[in-house]
Amino acid sequence: MNSSTKYIGQSRRAAWCAAWLLLASALLAVCGASVGSTGFDSVLRMHGDPVAWQIVWDIRLPRTAGAWLAGALLGLSGAVAQGLFRNPLADPYLLGSASGAALGGAVAMALFGVSPVAAQWMARIGITGMAFLGAAGAVLLTLLLAKGVQHTLRLLLAGVIVGVVLGALRDLVELASPDILQAMQAFTLGSTAFVGWAACLLMAVAWAMCSVVAWMLARALDGLTLGEATAASLGLPLMPMRVGLVAAMALATGTAVAQTGLIAFVGLAAPHLVRSIVRVTHERHIVLSSLMGAVLLMAADILARWLLAPQELPVGVLTAALGGTYLLWLMHRRTSQGGAL
């Protein structure tokens, strides 16, 4: 099989993968609109019953759409992180950006007197902006401590250290402002319960911006897979491209964390699942990872609402349990085959 035939085959497989992920998103959206204390009955009666309309339109649909968008942001961020740092274990959490975003959210709540359940536009923009600054600062601090991305172990250790330090600072902010403790508990467990249409619009704008930037700079990720010297010899302006990719990763992580809290393993597992299905260039890989992350979080959110109905699990707890189990299985399989992640 020559290279052109192989490329066409991979492109076709990537297109089919995207189509299946979009179809799964549509089916899960229907399920998301149907899961609740009143079940599918509210969907059937929504056109003639104002209460049913409010349940579906104002509660279930924005929550389902918010889960899709937050998952898409985390999947995109995970794909960029793994490509940028050339490490399949890299994700927004390991590199400290999620801890930075959480710190920014806590500071915003303490300063502005708002919580993730607030619906005011200024409150939403304030939390998201502070979370973005926190995520960007955390990533830059990790890079500074690691002295670049050449040493994988140093990078991961720096990310862990930054995450621990920023987590401690977040705890100090909570102790200084005890009125935000309840809001921060929901924030750290991860939940889509309070996502409204305003938050969905903010996440959609951030996702569109980050997708465009990451797609335009994906050539840098392809070059970096060949090594620093090779990427530089191709004439790629690596420094400005890295800055753009770090900004996209920080904005994606900060926006998702600001609206839904800390949701584990989506950004790490989505790129792995895509690679297990199809191997493509980063232009397609970023898009597919984003769609995969959206499907994963939407499915987890529906499962979190359904398992203990009428009560519900925090979706971040469920993704941590399922994602951790998947990664343990993946590590066991790769180890038994004599390979690496």
Side-chain angles (χ1 to χ4, degrees):
M1 181 182 293
N2 56 41
S3 58
S4 61
T5 304
K6 184 178 180 180
Y7 177 79
I8 293 173
Q10 289 177 340
S11 299
R12 230 174 248 172
R13 195 169 182 183
W16 275 109
C17 181
W20 279 110
L21 289 173
L22 290 173
L23 178 60
S25 298
L27 294 175
L28 288 171
V30 175
C31 294
S34 307
V35 174
S37 59
T38 58
F40 191 68
D41 187 56
S42 293
V43 178
L44 296 176
R45 294 186 295 105
M46 62 181 294
H47 291 292
D49 187 345
V51 176
W53 173 269
Q54 187 175 19
I55 290 173
V56 175
W57 182 256
D58 293 335
I59 299 175
R60 294 182 186 176
L61 284 179
R63 176 173 184 171
T64 302
W68 193 95
L69 288 165
L73 286 167
L74 292 173
L76 181 148
S77 182
V80 171
Q82 292 179 14
L84 184 63
F85 302 111
R86 289 176 288 166
N87 192 311
L89 291 178
D91 80 338
Y93 288 73
L94 288 178
L95 299 179
S97 57
S99 298
L103 174 61
V107 171
M109 291 180 205
L111 292 179
F112 306 146
V114 298
S115 71
V117 303
Q120 295 86 359
W121 271 97
M122 289 304 296
R124 287 288 184 183
I125 294 172
I127 293 176
T128 303
M130 291 292 288
F132 169 65
L133 292 177
V139 172
L140 292 176
L141 183 58
T142 298
L143 293 176
L144 182 63
L145 289 176
K147 298 180 180 179
V149 298
Q150 289 81 9
H151 303 286
T152 300
L153 182 59
R154 184 188 296 171
L155 181 67
L156 293 178
L157 289 175
V160 171
I161 293 169
V162 168
V164 170
V165 171
L166 295 184
L169 291 177
R170 187 195 69 204
D171 292 338
L172 290 176
V173 172
E174 293 176 2
L175 290 174
S177 304
D179 54 314
I180 69 170
L181 284 174
Q182 186 175 0
M184 282 305 298
Q185 183 180 19
F187 196 87
T188 53
L189 291 177
S191 176
T192 59
F194 306 107
V195 174
W197 288 118
C200 288
L201 182 56
L202 279 175
M203 285 192 286
V205 171
W207 179 61
M209 292 172 57
C210 294
S211 297
V212 170
V213 171
W215 184 80
M216 291 176 62
L217 301 179
R219 284 190 308 137
L221 299 179
D222 291 332
L224 286 172
T225 59
L226 304 175
E228 294 275 342
T230 304
S233 68
L234 294 174
L236 296 174
L238 291 181
M239 185 55 67
M241 290 178 119
R242 275 191 179 127
V243 171
L245 288 168
V246 167
M249 182 178 65
L251 178 59
T253 305
T255 305
V257 171
Q259 307 303 335
T260 61
L262 300 177
I263 295 177
F265 284 106
V266 172
L268 180 60
H272 276 283
L273 288 172
V274 170
R275 278 194 294 269
S276 68
I277 298 171
V278 59
R279 296 274 183 170
V280 290
T281 60
H282 278 91
E283 285 183 348
R284 292 183 174 90
H285 180 70
I286 288 172
V287 175
L288 292 176
S289 296
S290 185
L291 293 176
M292 182 66 77
V295 169
L296 288 177
L297 187 52
M298 189 187 288
D301 180 61
I302 294 171
L303 195 60
R305 283 189 270 165
W306 174 76
L307 280 177
L308 299 178
Q311 296 180 349
E312 64 178 65
L313 289 170
V315 69
V317 175
L318 188 61
T319 57
L322 296 178
T325 303
Y326 165 73
L327 288 177
L328 285 174
W329 171 80
L330 183 65
M331 290 177 63
H332 172 73
R333 190 185 69 169
R334 295 294 179 88
T335 303
S336 63
Q337 292 175 352
L341 281 175

